Amino acid sequence: MGINWGRKLFHIASSLFFFGLLKFLQKPYFQIFLLFTAGLVLLWEFLRLRFPAILPFKSLWESLLKESEKKTLSDALFFILGVLISSLMLSGDPLGVAILILGISDPLAAITGAYLKRGPTFKNKSLSGTLSFFLSSFTIALFFLKAPLSSLLGLSLFLSLVELFTTRDNLWIPIACAVYLRIFDTLTF
């Protein structure tokens, strides 16, 4: 099975959009926008699953779905919910980091894993993909967060394990990032 480039680009573009919106809007308005977006995505999912014939541009949106999502909720809803829930715990750059790691490190891991699928795999995820996730998440955190290097390495390792062991990583990556940053209080909020 090859890489769904449209899906990966949509994933990255969505995170960059939300990251930009976070910089532009005050936090309460950002959260209202996320709630509104979650409502729209939930309506879309309901219509897609129950009445797909009435939705326009079927060839466009259907090509973005994984085979496993064609009869169940897509990861798009979990992406929005993960960002929304993490926004209840974080703001500013820490929230931006959670969004960027979700939107950049996650697809980068899938791309790297697909092209460099050497060595052991776990749950259809490769060591090279996990390493790619770790390095990219560390780079993002290092660029945006003022925290001890050990905390940033711990964050990247923790999120790499979350990405490896969860099935709904679009939900759990930003939430795990928020929880880690709150528990270890590595930042001044």
Side-chain angles (χ1 to χ4, degrees):
M1 183 165 80
I3 295 172
N4 184 336
W5 286 102
R7 181 182 177 88
K8 300 304 175 204
L9 290 174
F10 186 76
H11 201 79
I12 293 167
S14 296
S15 72
L16 293 175
F17 172 76
F18 286 117
F19 179 76
L21 201 60
L22 175 65
K23 296 293 185 184
F24 180 73
L25 295 176
Q26 293 175 357
K27 184 177 176 180
Y29 297 113
F30 179 71
Q31 290 173 315
I32 290 168
F33 183 83
L34 288 172
L35 269 173
F36 179 73
T37 304
L40 286 178
V41 171
L42 193 56
L43 175 63
W44 181 270
E45 291 289 316
F46 173 77
L47 293 174
R48 178 182 69 81
L49 293 169
R50 300 288 179 152
F51 310 103
I54 68 169
L55 293 176
F57 311 113
K58 185 175 182 179
S59 62
L60 176 65
W61 56 261
E62 196 171 53
S63 67
L64 297 175
L65 296 173
K66 293 179 192 173
E67 193 61 40
S68 62
E69 294 174 328
K70 292 192 176 176
K71 300 216 185 285
T72 186
L73 294 173
S74 74
D75 286 342
L77 180 62
F78 297 100
F79 184 105
I80 301 291
L81 291 176
V83 172
L84 178 61
I85 293 167
S86 64
S87 78
L88 299 173
M89 295 179 268
L90 299 174
S91 27
D93 283 344
L95 178 56
V97 164
I99 294 168
L100 290 177
I101 289 173
L102 170 62
I104 294 173
S105 299
D106 189 36
L108 188 60
I111 292 166
T112 304
Y115 279 109
L116 300 176
K117 203 169 204 160
R118 295 183 187 103
T121 60
F122 178 76
K123 291 184 155 185
N124 204 29
K125 296 183 180 189
S126 69
L127 181 61
S128 59
T130 301
L131 183 59
S132 172
F133 184 96
F134 175 81
L135 292 173
S136 61
S137 63
F138 177 71
T139 302
I140 292 167
L142 186 62
F143 188 78
F144 287 100
L145 301 178
K146 292 175 179 33
L149 196 58
S150 59
S151 294
L152 300 179
L153 287 168
L155 173 66
S156 299
L157 178 61
F158 176 62
L159 294 179
S160 297
L161 293 173
V162 168
E163 196 274 338
L164 184 63
F165 288 108
T166 60
T167 54
R168 291 283 186 199
D169 56 3
N170 282 352
L171 175 67
W172 292 112
I173 289 170
I175 294 172
C177 184
V179 169
Y180 180 94
L181 293 175
R182 279 302 188 185
I183 288 175
F184 291 98
D185 197 29
T186 57
L187 305 167
T188 305
F189 292 96

